[in-house]
RNA sequence: GCCCCCAUCGACUAGCGGUCCAGGUCGCGGCCCUUUCAAGGCCGUAGCACGGGUUCGAAUCCCGUUGGGGGCACCA
């Protein structure tokens, strides 16, 4: 039997990273098994629906590379089928009317149990199960009715979802049995918490896929990081590309205990992926990201600046802070010029007629200048760096000056020399 | 209140009864390299929540305690 799994978000807003992690597990499992990963929108509660949500969900999944099989389906489209089945249950005495709504009759005795792929056997005493409403008095089916029905109709073999659904499972199990459907295998994966152990929310940092994208994380890095939240192939491997993740993933190794989202580790991992990018790919992504964020910086110059920062930045969003001086004026803080007036003046002269004006020649000239003034490289170059880039932290000084060009560099050096006396 | 789930370094985890005085990664600290910042190299820091069992032997199995989390809608 071929595996069919699904992601079934409700279109109430942006995709939460926790839902994405659950989606990722579904996707990895499907791809590993050569099965299907479906995307289904659970929109029976039209009052909470957000217009753009369906598009945003798809954009986010595409960005991460979580492709789905078959058409996007909507729960709303199957309302009639749900009602028909509710009527059937009614006529069979398995459900009853209650103030205009229809309730499903849960068993009163015994237990409802299932073997959860990630947590083992779970049992629920049936006398704790309430007769859930399956159709509201206005005729719309409820989640606990529509969702398991859709799982049956879609031939879902494994329901992999957040563990907040554990209490729903025995109810859905009974409903599926009542309509004579095949019961899927269930697996409840833990939720993701923030550093304080509370469910991950806005106050911890980014939580929506779009936030991570806007902050310049690479989708492959985010995927790698997310996969390791609650799953590990062994005790050693931490860096895995999508191929390897698909190849090694298994539901049995998903941990039942909740994980905390460690933004620092994500930053580290993203930096690793940034550094591993082919130079051309890196600059390409920078250009795209800058465009998305509304910068209208010259793509050619961005591409030339990219190699200078590729080893230094962890996220694409750090690019402007490092290389912004190439695209706009800078205003060095005189205090940070560190009394380097003599060096600044001497550097200006050293560079004025320098040929060729490239990093190697610039380095030789500035080192000679520093020597001439009896300054250590560190003392000599820092004021120059601040003058030229406006900051104490920058890409390599000599490459930066070369890229900036002679005219602008000299101009900034002269201004700084004057400012520092 | 009732029901359910979870529990190894600060964090993510490996460990599925002996090979563990617990391994890897992030973080953190130190040193090296160095034009800043990174990156890189080396060294180090730190953990089986607690209490009972079971067993020749427990991080690993069982029970309890404590601590976290989730659920109890005509939301999904």
């Amino acid at each position: 039997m071929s595996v069919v799994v699904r992601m079934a978000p409700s279109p109430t807003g942006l995709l939460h990273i926790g839902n994405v992690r659950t989606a990722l597990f579904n996707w990895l499992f499907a791809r590993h098994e050569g099965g299907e990963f479906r995307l289904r929108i659970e929109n029976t509660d039209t009052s909470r629906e957000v217009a753009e949500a369906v598009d945003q969900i798809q954009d986010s999944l595409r960005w991460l590379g979580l492709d789905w099989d078959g058409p996007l389906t909507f729960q709303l489209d199957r309302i009639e089928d749900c009602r028909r089945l509710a009527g059937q249950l009614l006529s069979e005495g398995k459900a009853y009317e209650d103030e205009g709504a229809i309730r499903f009759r849960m068993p009163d005795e015994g237990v409802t149990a299932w073997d959860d792929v990630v947590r083992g056997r779970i049992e629920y005493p049936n006398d704790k199960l309430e007769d859930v409403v399956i159709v509201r008095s206005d005729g719309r089916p409820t989640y606990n009715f529509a969702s398991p029905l859709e799982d049956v109709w879609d031939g879902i073999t494994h329901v992999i979802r957040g563990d907040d659904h554990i209490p729903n499972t025995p109810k859905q199990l009974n409903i599926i049995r009542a309509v004579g459907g095949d019961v899927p295998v269930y697996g409840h994966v833990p939720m993701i918490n923030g550093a304080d152990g509370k469910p991950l929310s806005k106050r911890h940092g980014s939580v929506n896929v779009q936030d991570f994208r806007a902050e310049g994380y690479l989708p492959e890095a985010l995927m790698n990081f997310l996969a390791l939240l609650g799953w590990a192939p062994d005790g050693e491997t931490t860096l895995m590309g999508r191929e390897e993740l698909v190849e090694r993933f298994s539901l049995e190794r998903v941990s039942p205990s909740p994980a905390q989202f460690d933004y620092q580790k994500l930053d580290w991992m993203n930096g690793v992926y940034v550094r591993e990018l082919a130079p051309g790919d890196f600059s390409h992504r920078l250009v795209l990201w800058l465009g998305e964020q509304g910068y209208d910086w010259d793509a050619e110059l961005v591409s030339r600046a990219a190699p200078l920062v590729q080893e230094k930045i962890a996220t694409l969003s750090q690019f402007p802070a490092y290389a912004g001086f190439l695209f706009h004026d800078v205003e060095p803080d005189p205090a940070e010029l560190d009394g380097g007036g003599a060096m600044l003046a001497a550097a200006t002269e050293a560079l004025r007629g320098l040929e060729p004006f490239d990093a190697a020649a610039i380095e030789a000239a500035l080192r000679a200048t520093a020597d001439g003034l009896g300054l250590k490289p560190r003392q000599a170059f820092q004021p120059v760096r601040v003058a030229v880039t406006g900051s104490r932290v920058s890409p390599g000084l000599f490459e930066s000056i070369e890229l900036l060009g002679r005219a602008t560099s000299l101009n900034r050096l002269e201004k700084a020399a004057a400012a520092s006396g």
Side-chain angles (χ1 to χ4, degrees), chain A residues 1-307:
Chain A
M1 180 182 66
S2 181
V3 162
V4 184
V5 296
R6 84 310 198 269
M7 180 200 194
S10 55
T12 51
L14 298 172
L15 251 199
H16 187 279
I17 201 71
N19 295 134
V20 171
R21 205 276 312 254
T22 305
L24 174 61
F25 283 178
N26 273 284
W27 181 85
L28 286 172
F29 179 61
R31 294 293 170 257
H32 178 86
E33 299 290 332
E36 292 181 36
F37 172 65
R38 302 273 181 79
L39 179 56
R40 179 169 95 206
I41 305 296
E42 305 207 315
N43 59 343
T44 39
D45 184 9
T46 45
S47 65
R48 294 206 309 158
E49 189 159 348
V50 175
E52 312 75 33
V54 174
D55 286 337
Q56 287 167 341
I57 287 167
Q58 294 181 86
D59 283 347
S60 293
L61 291 178
R62 281 198 200 98
W63 178 71
L64 266 171
L66 302 187
D67 53 328
W68 58 95
D69 303 295
L72 179 67
T73 59
F74 294 86
Q75 200 162 68
L76 213 49
D77 294 339
R78 313 220 257 210
I79 278 193
E80 286 312 320
D81 295 321
C82 291
R83 283 198 193 119
R84 208 190 62 244
L85 270 187
Q88 185 187 316
L89 291 174
L90 224 36
S91 66
E92 292 171 350
K94 293 175 178 168
Y96 58 94
E97 292 194 60
D98 177 27
E99 307 214 24
I102 301 176
R103 284 186 188 275
F104 179 81
R105 213 184 289 284
M106 290 290 168
D108 304 316
E109 303 174 338
V111 296
T112 297
W114 72 95
D115 292 306
D116 197 284
V117 242
V118 341
R119 323 174 171 250
R121 190 161 187 81
I122 299 180
E123 299 190 345
Y124 263 79
N126 286 335
D127 59 2
K128 298 289 181 197
L129 259 30
E130 294 201 327
D131 290 351
V132 293
V133 168
I134 56 177
V135 178
R136 302 176 176 86
S137 51
D138 67 4
R140 286 150 51 222
T142 60
Y143 162 78
N144 268 322
F145 188 49
S147 185
L149 252 31
E150 286 205 284
D151 287 336
V152 170
W153 295 329
D154 292 340
I156 301 300
T157 59
H158 300 253
V159 173
I160 313 302
R161 55 178 19 168
D163 65 10
D164 51 334
H165 282 290
I166 289 179
N168 288 328
T169 303
K171 301 173 189 168
Q172 300 183 359
L173 225 35
N174 280 301
I175 288 172
I176 290 176
R177 286 186 188 132
V179 300
D182 288 330
V183 175
V185 172
Y186 288 90
H188 291 90
V189 308
M191 318 255 44
I192 294 177
N193 295 332
D196 55 2
K198 307 274 190 229
L200 194 69
S201 70
K202 206 72 199 168
R203 67 198 163 84
H204 294 108
S206 296
V207 286
N208 301 308
V209 178
Q210 292 191 355
D211 294 337
F212 288 97
R213 181 178 185 171
E215 281 176 18
Y217 289 97
L218 267 24
E220 56 268 52
L222 191 57
M223 179 188 278
N224 190 161
F225 177 78
L226 251 21
L228 256 21
L229 246 34
W231 175 81
D234 54 50
E236 317 296 309
T237 319
T238 68
L239 263 12
M240 284 166 287
R242 94 197 239 122
E243 301 283 306
E244 187 174 359
L245 287 170
V246 166
E247 188 186 321
R248 304 184 70 169
F249 186 79
S250 76
L251 278 179
E252 290 70 29
R253 290 189 64 88
V254 171
S255 162
S257 61
Q260 291 187 23
F261 196 101
D262 184 349
Y263 292 92
Q264 273 188 311
K265 188 164 184 176
L266 205 215
D267 282 349
W268 164 77
M269 192 173 282
N270 203 67
V272 171
Y273 276 85
V274 162
R275 275 172 252 128
E276 279 179 352
L277 251 25
D281 193 7
F282 175 60
S283 62
H284 177 64
R285 299 212 204 194
L286 267 180
V287 169
L288 286 181
W289 183 86
L290 289 166
E292 278 174 19
Q293 297 305 311
Y295 290 87
D296 59 347
W297 291 356
D298 179 62
E300 162 71 19
L301 187 51
V302 170
S303 297
R304 295 217 290 150

Side-chain angles (χ1 to χ4, degrees), chain A residues 325-349:
Chain A
F325 71 93
L326 293 167
F327 303 88
H328 53 66
D329 270 343
V330 298
E331 300 214 7
D333 176 351
E336 294 191 340
L337 258 13
D338 234 3
M343 178 64 197
L344 291 170
T348 309
E349 294 321 308

Side-chain angles (χ1 to χ4, degrees), chain A residues 347-386:
Chain A
T348 309
E349 294 321 308
L351 298 180
R352 194 178 299 284
L354 185 69
E355 286 299 342
F357 197 76
D358 62 23
I362 292 165
E363 174 166 9
L366 291 183
R367 283 193 189 280
T369 304
D371 274 349
L373 291 172
L375 294 171
K376 298 207 156 142
R378 185 187 210 89
Q379 300 172 287
F381 298 152
Q382 208 51 2
V384 176
R385 181 189 313 284
V386 171

